[in-house]
Amino acid sequence: MTFDVDKIRNDFPVLFQSSRGKPLIYLDNAATTQRPKSVIKAVSSFYENDNANIHRSVYELGERATIKYEDARVKVQKFINAEKSASIIFTKGTTESINLVAYAYGRTFLKPGDEILYSEMEHHSNIVPWQQVAETTGCQLKYIPITDDGTLVEDWRNYFSEKTKFVAITHQSNVLGSINPVKDIITYAHDKGAKILIDAAQSVPHMSVDVQNLGCDFLVFSGHKMLAPTGVGVLYGKTDILNAMPPFLFGGDMISQVGLQSSKWNDLPHKFEAGTPNIAQVIGLGAAIDYINELGIDSIHQYEHELTQYALSKFEELDTIKVFGTRENRGAILSFHSEFVHPHDMAQFLDADGIAVRAGHHCAQPLMERLRVPATTRASLYFYNTREEIDILVNSIKNILKIFSVESQPK
Amino acid sequence: MTFDVDKIRNDFPVLFQSSRGKPLIYLDNAATTQRPKSVIKAVSSFYENDNANIHRSVYELGERATIKYEDARVKVQKFINAEKSASIIFTKGTTESINLVAYAYGRTFLKPGDEILYSEMEHHSNIVPWQQVAETTGCQLKYIPITDDGTLVEDWRNYFSEKTKFVAITHQSNVLGSINPVKDIITYAHDKGAKILIDAAQSVPHMSVDVQNLGCDFLVFSGHKMLAPTGVGVLYGKTDILNAMPPFLFGGDMISQVGLQSSKWNDLPHKFEAGTPNIAQVIGLGAAIDYINELGIDSIHQYEHELTQYALSKFEELDTIKVFGTRENRGAILSFHSEFVHPHDMAQFLDADGIAVRAGHHCAQPLMERLRVPATTRASLYFYNTREEIDILVNSIKNILKIFSVESQPK
Amino acid sequence: MENLRELYQQIIIEYSQKPRNFRTIENAEHECHGHNPLCGDDVTIYATIENDIVKDISFMGSGCAISKASASIMTTLVKGKSLDAVQSMFDGFHNLITTGETNEDMSSKLLVLGGVHKYPVRVKCAILPWHTMMNGLKNECPDN
Amino acid sequence: MENLRELYQQIIIEYSQKPRNFRTIENAEHECHGHNPLCGDDVTIYATIENDIVKDISFMGSGCAISKASASIMTTLVKGKSLDAVQSMFDGFHNLITTGETNEDMSSKLLVLGGVHKYPVRVKCAILPWHTMMNGLKNECPDN
Ligand SMILES: Cc1ncc(COP(=O)(O)O)c(C=O)c1O
Ligand SMILES: Cc1ncc(COP(=O)(O)O)c(C=O)c1O
Ligand code: FES
Ligand code: FES
């Protein structure tokens, strides 16, 4: 299939607007992607036609809503090739998914002396929950460092010890774009007797991810980074582990019997879905997966790969700009830095050209320390971005550099 | 203002459909309400025009999204008359709101020997989290019983003790419709030195609620029960108490500084909003509040009160049907029971007439035990329901009773 | 109500008011309690077996018309049957109410519950007594 | 870029490259560290006071052009001023960058930052050095 970007762009109404008087160029997809019409429609149409609370409803509307909600679960299951739909727990996002595991697995099963291992390139959402587990259980935090070029050190195995009981690692860095060798890490973790969680917030939207092939114990991602509505995320877990865990949130739907003094839990996946779920958002996530499947996740990946390589080459024209990360094994994220222009000033000037990028620590402060910068400017791509947009970005940066270093020589 | 229901109904597209060949009559509003066009539009339009991740964005789209999100917070603040917008924490629903308080307040501040007091008419979401707090902290659970007619016992003060440190009580029962004297209970709880949470899931959508006037420490409710999208809820808390609590979910946005070993928390309300928030849903909640304000919450309450009184009178025509609860101090919820027709059969037959009601324990099993029924059938109203719909409901019940008790006499 | 009449055939309504074998069996070797978390209803099955034949069987509990009818029909049908026959009856019934498919060996009494497969939330009502019985007969009752 | 030029006046870009009073003061009685959680930048203010007059003041840290320019202008302006005068300068500046309103006493140097109020996320950049200084002068530095 050839990738007809112009046609694809037509599916994204938000792209057709001007920002600061220029055509909008949206390059903040690692923060959140845009939504195609079909997803927006799936949500509106649910509210217009099928809206009802789910499970336990005996009326037609409620039945329809339940079927659509559970259908979406099966779509997610198939998308990441999980064995059972009971493995798919809907949350409000990656952050909640990780917290669920930290509370219900970490605080339950980790003991003083155990070690939790993560990497130096984790997102705060995959750091802070584990710090809390360490604080409450008395276990230790260790991390795998990264190299100067922004990849996991090659001898990452050396950071495992007999005490390593849990590994939490990102599939793809949200700053560097580096893709980690998670399959090897998962195998090694299991050899060492550790459980492992993969933060797939930046991988599932962009590449084919197969949880059975990977073999991970947990995998987490967010809908809003893959065309779906805000307010929905996924926790995949192996059912035997999920079954062994206590629930996280308590309330309606997650119990099978409640007395005034104690209660019994419901089966998976309901045990972990307390209260009225984010029904419309889950259905929207199903529609997003349909959209991605229509394009083909491999075609998306291929297109993004070529676009990234193009962008990396174009950035080479900018002498004083350093792009972090390697050329190989990287996703469509470009974090860059200029000695002369602070990342926020850079982003502000790009904004004036209608270009939406992100400046800051990208919720990865430990990584910023490692890179010895307070912040970076980050352009992150999705399949609706184009080479023309990259050209405009690079041109705009050129102008900004001029303003800051040429125009403003001390008088 | 006169209440023009026909005009109002036009705002709710879902109502104009037939179900099982009959015009849909939606009477399951205590489970979830329907959404007006303006709310559906607010969500679509966000995705079509303003979609971006919020806070920290320096580009126009992100600024707009942030302003809309924070505007919605102020709308909620004003709607319940909170003193500060920092008191308004967005969650995914009542259940998460209560769990947040149970984890971050309950597990932190309650001690062995302390007592948590709730009532016999609580929803599971306001029971099970407290059972877990009791289990982990070693404090005791006590409850205020209800009378045969479904109201809180008059001597509810007697269930307080010197050990009562936390009270969790519903403003309005989701089964009986009974409205509890929460203002008195709050005052008394404070006299006794206890903190108090009000489950306002069934009150905020239907009546004017003023947290400053009530004086409660926490108040929780769900968007989807008040015209807003699924996947959004509110926790109101007094800022001094929220400040004293540790965070609940950990991750992006809720921290101000993250190191590889420890972190510092952000200010309220962000401290409790980890990760990418349910941005579109929060904005939808803002639009829902606009809609309610347009009609006037007092007019809504008045209309619903009259409709409920009408329904109660009509139900008196049905000899063999018992409606739970009193006539006074009740919201627009009618739970009823027939000796001859099981609640689920009743609901199934009503469904065949296009009438959507709920059958079951309504996530209130302890209350079912108290009422000595396994389940009830529940019709719950909102301001778009009409007297004609009540007439059809009552007629349909009459027919069902005939089918079950007359037609089917043993041959 | 046309469709609904397929679900609630006359006999189902009758059974709901006059359930068959609705009693306890004192000191039954096989007793099992089943619970439907969707609605809060429950059923207890009592059975005695001799030489792999179901000698006596009964039920108690609260439930909807579908579940009472299902338990009534079930107890009526399995009494006097071998455990093997009961197992294959269960398999056939399970298939019937989840897919609507019948098989030639199936008792026509079971067919009155065939409409259930169109009402996903009610499938559990019809199957609950059966699951509970099978658990009881195998002494694999999780609730005991 | 018209609008942006209001935010980034030429002088701001200059200051970002040649900040004024960008140094430490050894053994300064008043030293305060401020941090902008939105971007991860920070600033440290050093000051000496004699008879309620700001004797010397300087800053260090990493930040954007807005924050460096703001710190440069601030340190230049407050040096030699009484604590009372500094407080009212702060009040005026705070008002300027949140609302865009000026007042007659305001130094024209401050006005170059007037465009900031249109960029809500950047307000923190401009105010950070000021907040940090005020905390430092009052010895109310939360970070110490
Ligand atoms: C009184 C009451 N409390 C709590 C809840 C739980 O709300 P949610 O399911 O939106 O979390 C409900 C509604 O189901 C309710 O009616
Ligand atoms: C790698 C990674 N992990 C976790 C998150 C947190 O996701 P969310 O904010 O949707 O909870 C993000 C995105 O912000 C991310 O990029
Ligand atoms: S509704 Fe409870 S068993 Fe059928
Ligand atoms: S962006 Fe950090 S201080 Fe301005």
Side-chain angles (χ1 to χ4, degrees):
Chain A
M1 194 191 89
T2 56
F3 213 78
D4 186 347
V5 184
D6 284 340
K7 191 160 152 284
I8 287 170
R9 289 177 69 84
N10 280 326
D11 296 333
F12 292 83
V14 79
L15 298 177
F16 296 88
Q17 66 179 290
S18 60
S19 176
R20 316 290 189 198
K22 306 271 169 68
L24 172 68
I25 296 181
Y26 185 76
L27 300 175
D28 194 19
N29 295 289
T32 198
T33 62
Q34 297 301 339
R35 332 278 171 228
K37 283 180 203 160
S38 64
V39 167
I40 302 172
K41 185 97 193 306
V43 172
S44 316
S45 148
F46 173 73
Y47 290 139
E48 283 162 10
N49 300 301
D50 315 307
N51 180 68
N53 214 320
I54 57 166
H55 302 310
R56 270 196 289 239
S57 306
V58 286
Y59 53 85
E60 195 189 3
L61 220 56
E63 274 175 21
R64 227 154 57 208
T66 305
I67 290 170
K68 294 205 162 190
Y69 180 80
E70 292 300 333
D71 277 356
R73 198 190 303 280
V74 174
K75 286 179 188 175
V76 173
Q77 177 202 347
K78 292 194 176 141
F79 190 59
I80 60 169
N81 194 30
E83 216 179 336
K84 302 173 190 163
S85 68
S87 272
I88 307 299
I89 314 289
F90 289 118
T91 63
K92 64 178 172 179
T94 301
T95 302
E96 192 194 5
S97 298
I98 296 175
N99 276 272
L100 193 165
V101 178
Y103 273 98
Y105 187 89
R107 297 193 186 198
T108 311
F109 295 110
L110 297 179
K111 300 271 166 312
D114 289 351
E115 288 176 7
I116 299 174
L117 186 63
Y118 47 58
S119 87
E120 212 173 9
M121 63 168 91
E122 298 308 314
H123 187 280
H124 291 168
S125 292
N126 203 22
I127 297 179
V128 195
W130 305 113
Q131 291 178 342
Q132 293 303 308
V133 171
E135 199 164 286
T136 36
T137 64
C139 68
Q140 299 294 312
L141 298 171
K142 298 274 147 118
Y143 66 90
I144 304 174
I146 61 166
T147 62
D148 284 337
D149 69 1
T151 56
L152 213 62
V153 290
E154 276 204 37
D155 67 341
W156 51 264
R157 285 179 183 78
N158 293 345
Y159 296 84
F160 280 76
S161 82
E162 294 310 310
K163 297 185 195 157
T164 310
K165 286 290 175 299
F166 201 90
V167 183
I169 195 155
T170 192
H171 198 168
Q172 178 182 308
S173 159
N174 68 315
V175 177
L176 305 160
S178 321
I179 297 171
N180 288 320
V182 287
K183 186 156 186 196
D184 292 346
I185 299 173
I186 293 163
T187 310
Y188 194 72
H190 285 160
D191 285 352
K192 289 284 177 179
K195 297 277 180 272
I196 179 162
L197 174 144
I198 303 299
D199 177 352
Q202 297 294 345
S203 60
V204 163
H206 303 278
M207 64 177 92
S208 164
V209 169
D210 177 331
V211 290
Q212 288 189 70
N213 174 33
L214 289 177
C216 50
D217 302 295
F218 301 103
L219 184 127
V220 297
F221 55 98
S222 295
H224 71 92
K225 294 186 198 284
M226 53 185 288
L227 311 179
T230 56
V232 58
V234 172
L235 164 64
Y236 158 83
K238 286 185 178 161
T239 51
D240 53 337
I241 304 179
L242 292 175
N243 274 320
M245 285 156 58
F248 169 49
L249 297 182
F250 302 88
D253 278 338
M254 54 69 65
I255 44 80
S256 79
Q257 244 177 322
V258 176
L260 276 163
Q261 296 292 337
S262 71
S263 303
K264 284 190 202 169
W265 315 136
N266 201 341
D267 297 333
L268 290 179
H270 312 294
K271 174 177 155 187
F272 290 107
E273 294 181 0
T276 302
N278 34 9
I279 308 171
Q281 294 74 48
V282 163
I283 290 169
L285 174 57
I289 289 176
D290 289 342
Y291 188 94
I292 291 175
N293 285 338
E294 192 80 26
L295 293 182
I297 186 75
D298 290 328
S299 310
I300 289 173
H301 187 64
Q302 183 57 29
Y303 177 81
E304 286 182 28
H305 176 73
E306 282 161 20
L307 192 61
T308 308
Q309 294 300 319
Y310 177 77
L312 287 168
S313 303
K314 287 292 284 185
F315 265 79
E316 282 172 7
E317 297 172 9
L318 303 164
D319 296 336
T320 59
I321 294 276
K322 173 177 172 54
V323 179
F324 296 101
T326 56
R327 267 198 109 115
E328 297 311 305
N329 287 325
R330 82 176 287 153
I333 294 176
L334 290 91
S335 269
F336 55 93
H337 191 72
S338 151
E339 256 183 73
F340 306 105
V341 189
H342 184 281
H344 271 80
D345 297 324
M346 178 72 82
Q348 194 84 60
F349 273 85
L350 288 172
D351 171 54
D353 280 346
I355 303 169
V357 298
R358 189 152 292 253
H361 52 55
H362 316 293
C363 294
Q365 284 183 8
L367 177 58
M368 293 298 117
E369 274 171 40
R370 173 63 180 84
L371 300 175
R372 284 184 206 89
V373 290
T376 74
T377 313
R378 179 185 73 183
S380 53
L381 320 175
Y382 210 14
F383 56 77
Y384 40 64
N385 290 122
T386 65
R387 294 190 179 210
E388 292 71 48
E389 289 179 323
I390 302 292
D391 293 343
I392 297 172
L393 168 71
V394 171
N395 263 330
S396 179
I397 296 174
K398 273 184 197 156
N399 286 330
I400 297 164
L401 290 172
K402 264 189 218 141
I403 293 170
F404 271 79
S405 56
V406 180
E407 267 185 54
S408 65
Q409 285 316 309
K411 293 169 194 175
Chain B
M1 193 190 91
T2 55
F3 212 77
D4 186 347
V5 184
D6 284 340
K7 191 161 152 281
I8 287 170
R9 289 177 69 85
N10 280 326
D11 296 333
F12 293 83
V14 78
L15 298 177
F16 295 88
Q17 66 178 290
S18 60
S19 177
R20 318 288 189 199
K22 306 271 170 67
L24 171 67
I25 296 181
Y26 184 77
L27 300 174
D28 195 18
N29 294 290
T32 198
T33 62
Q34 297 300 339
R35 332 276 172 231
K37 283 179 202 159
S38 63
V39 168
I40 301 172
K41 185 97 193 303
V43 172
S44 316
S45 148
F46 173 73
Y47 290 139
E48 282 162 11
N49 301 301
D50 314 307
N51 181 67
N53 215 321
I54 58 166
H55 301 312
R56 271 196 289 238
S57 307
V58 285
Y59 53 85
E60 195 190 3
L61 220 56
E63 275 176 19
R64 228 154 56 207
T66 306
I67 291 170
K68 294 205 163 191
Y69 180 80
E70 292 300 333
D71 276 357
R73 197 190 302 279
V74 174
K75 286 179 189 177
V76 173
Q77 177 202 346
K78 291 193 177 143
F79 190 59
I80 60 169
N81 194 31
E83 217 180 333
K84 302 173 189 162
S85 68
S87 272
I88 307 299
I89 314 289
F90 290 119
T91 64
K92 63 178 169 177
T94 301
T95 301
E96 192 194 4
S97 298
I98 298 175
N99 276 272
L100 193 165
V101 178
Y103 272 99
Y105 186 90
R107 297 194 186 197
T108 311
F109 295 110
L110 298 179
K111 300 271 166 314
D114 289 352
E115 287 175 8
I116 300 174
L117 185 64
Y118 47 59
S119 88
E120 213 174 7
M121 62 168 92
E122 297 309 313
H123 187 281
H124 291 168
S125 292
N126 203 22
I127 298 178
V128 196
W130 304 114
Q131 292 178 343
Q132 294 303 308
V133 171
E135 200 165 285
T136 36
T137 63
C139 66
Q140 299 294 311
L141 298 171
K142 298 275 147 119
Y143 66 91
I144 305 173
I146 60 166
T147 63
D148 284 337
D149 68 0
T151 56
L152 213 62
V153 290
E154 275 204 38
D155 66 341
W156 51 263
R157 286 180 182 78
N158 293 345
Y159 296 85
F160 281 75
S161 82
E162 294 309 311
K163 297 184 193 158
T164 310
K165 287 291 176 299
F166 201 91
V167 183
I169 195 155
T170 191
H171 198 168
Q172 178 181 308
S173 160
N174 68 316
V175 176
L176 304 160
S178 321
I179 297 172
N180 288 320
V182 287
K183 185 155 187 198
D184 292 346
I185 300 174
I186 292 164
T187 309
Y188 194 72
H190 285 160
D191 285 352
K192 289 283 177 180
K195 297 277 181 270
I196 179 161
L197 173 145
I198 303 298
D199 177 351
Q202 297 294 345
S203 59
V204 163
H206 303 278
M207 65 176 92
S208 163
V209 169
D210 177 331
V211 289
Q212 288 188 70
N213 174 32
L214 288 178
C216 51
D217 301 295
F218 301 104
L219 184 126
V220 298
F221 55 97
S222 294
H224 71 93
K225 293 185 199 284
M226 54 184 288
L227 312 179
T230 56
V232 57
V234 171
L235 165 64
Y236 158 83
K238 286 185 178 161
T239 50
D240 54 336
I241 304 179
L242 292 175
N243 274 321
M245 285 156 57
F248 170 48
L249 297 182
F250 302 89
D253 277 338
M254 54 70 64
I255 44 81
S256 79
Q257 244 178 320
V258 175
L260 275 164
Q261 297 291 338
S262 71
S263 303
K264 284 191 202 167
W265 315 135
N266 200 342
D267 298 333
L268 290 179
H270 312 294
K271 174 177 154 187
F272 290 106
E273 293 182 359
T276 303
N278 34 9
I279 308 172
Q281 293 75 48
V282 163
I283 290 169
L285 174 58
I289 289 176
D290 288 344
Y291 188 93
I292 290 175
N293 285 337
E294 192 81 26
L295 293 181
I297 187 74
D298 291 328
S299 310
I300 289 173
H301 188 64
Q302 182 57 28
Y303 176 81
E304 285 183 28
H305 177 72
E306 283 161 21
L307 192 62
T308 308
Q309 295 299 320
Y310 178 77
L312 288 169
S313 303
K314 287 292 285 186
F315 265 79
E316 281 171 8
E317 297 172 11
L318 303 165
D319 295 337
T320 60
I321 294 276
K322 174 178 170 54
V323 179
F324 296 102
T326 56
R327 268 198 107 116
E328 297 311 306
N329 287 323
R330 82 176 287 152
I333 295 176
L334 290 91
S335 269
F336 55 93
H337 191 72
S338 151
E339 255 182 73
F340 305 105
V341 189
H342 184 281
H344 271 81
D345 296 324
M346 178 73 81
Q348 194 84 63
F349 274 85
L350 288 172
D351 171 53
D353 280 346
I355 304 170
V357 297
R358 188 150 293 251
H361 52 56
H362 317 295
C363 294
Q365 284 183 8
L367 176 58
M368 294 297 118
E369 274 172 39
R370 173 63 180 85
L371 300 175
R372 285 185 205 87
V373 291
T376 74
T377 313
R378 179 185 73 183
S380 53
L381 319 175
Y382 210 15
F383 56 76
Y384 40 64
N385 290 123
T386 65
R387 294 191 179 208
E388 293 71 48
E389 289 179 323
I390 301 292
D391 292 344
I392 296 172
L393 168 70
V394 171
N395 264 329
S396 178
I397 296 175
K398 274 186 199 158
N399 285 330
I400 296 165
L401 289 172
K402 264 190 219 140
I403 292 170
F404 271 78
S405 56
V406 181
E407 267 185 54
S408 65
Q409 285 317 309
K411 295 169 192 173
Chain C
M1 282 207 190
E2 305 307 87
N3 273 327
L4 196 67
R5 277 320 205 157
E6 205 190 315
L7 178 62
Y8 286 90
Q9 309 206 6
Q10 191 55 33
I11 184 134
I12 290 183
I13 292 174
E14 277 177 46
Y15 278 134
S16 81
Q17 288 166 317
K18 305 224 162 231
R20 307 299 192 267
N21 302 308
F22 190 64
R23 55 182 164 88
T24 59
I25 299 177
E26 294 278 307
N27 304 321
E29 309 108 80
H30 302 273
E31 184 182 326
C32 191
H33 181 251
H35 172 250
N36 182 349
L38 293 178
C39 59
D41 288 321
D42 62 356
V43 66
T44 306
I45 304 283
Y46 306 85
T48 53
I49 302 183
E50 264 181 46
N51 300 326
D52 280 358
I53 302 285
V54 178
K55 199 73 202 308
D56 193 11
I57 182 157
S58 70
F59 80 101
M60 287 295 287
S62 75
C64 61
I66 311 281
S67 74
K68 283 203 171 134
S70 179
S72 292
I73 295 168
M74 176 186 82
T75 49
T76 312
L77 281 178
V78 304
K79 207 185 291 187
K81 294 287 189 313
S82 75
L83 292 181
D84 282 354
V86 171
Q87 176 71 52
S88 73
M89 243 185 238
F90 171 79
D91 294 340
F93 181 66
H94 189 281
N95 195 35
L96 171 72
I97 62 160
T98 50
T99 66
E101 285 164 22
T102 58
N103 71 46
E104 34 211 65
D105 307 333
M106 194 170 276
S107 155
S108 64
K109 286 198 175 171
L110 287 178
L111 294 181
V112 302
L113 285 159
V116 172
H117 81 275
K118 290 193 193 145
Y119 296 83
V121 254
R122 306 310 295 277
V123 167
K124 186 100 199 194
C125 302
I127 203 78
L128 178 67
W130 285 84
H131 268 304
T132 311
M133 174 184 73
M134 296 310 286
N135 286 338
L137 295 180
K138 294 176 188 164
N139 290 323
E140 288 173 356
C141 203
D143 259 22
N144 287 351
Chain D
M1 282 210 191
E2 305 308 88
N3 273 327
L4 197 68
R5 276 320 206 158
E6 205 191 313
L7 177 63
Y8 286 90
Q9 309 204 7
Q10 191 55 32
I11 184 132
I12 290 183
I13 292 173
E14 276 178 48
Y15 278 134
S16 81
Q17 289 167 317
K18 305 225 162 226
R20 306 300 191 265
N21 302 308
F22 190 65
R23 55 183 164 88
T24 59
I25 299 176
E26 294 280 306
N27 304 321
E29 310 106 80
H30 300 273
E31 183 181 329
C32 189
H33 181 252
H35 172 249
N36 183 349
L38 293 178
C39 59
D41 288 321
D42 61 356
V43 65
T44 306
I45 304 283
Y46 306 86
T48 53
I49 303 183
E50 264 180 46
N51 300 327
D52 280 357
I53 302 284
V54 177
K55 197 73 203 306
D56 193 12
I57 181 158
S58 70
F59 80 100
M60 287 296 286
S62 74
C64 61
I66 311 282
S67 74
K68 282 203 172 135
S70 180
S72 292
I73 295 168
M74 175 186 83
T75 49
T76 312
L77 282 179
V78 304
K79 207 186 290 186
K81 293 287 188 314
S82 75
L83 293 181
D84 283 353
V86 171
Q87 176 71 52
S88 73
M89 241 185 240
F90 170 79
D91 294 340
F93 181 67
H94 190 281
N95 195 36
L96 172 72
I97 62 159
T98 50
T99 67
E101 286 164 21
T102 57
N103 70 47
E104 35 210 63
D105 307 334
M106 194 170 275
S107 155
S108 64
K109 287 199 175 170
L110 287 178
L111 294 181
V112 301
L113 285 158
V116 172
H117 81 275
K118 290 191 194 146
Y119 296 83
V121 255
R122 306 310 295 278
V123 168
K124 186 101 197 193
C125 303
I127 203 78
L128 179 68
W130 285 83
H131 268 305
T132 311
M133 173 184 73
M134 295 311 285
N135 285 339
L137 295 181
K138 295 177 188 163
N139 290 322
E140 288 174 356
C141 202
D143 260 21
N144 286 353

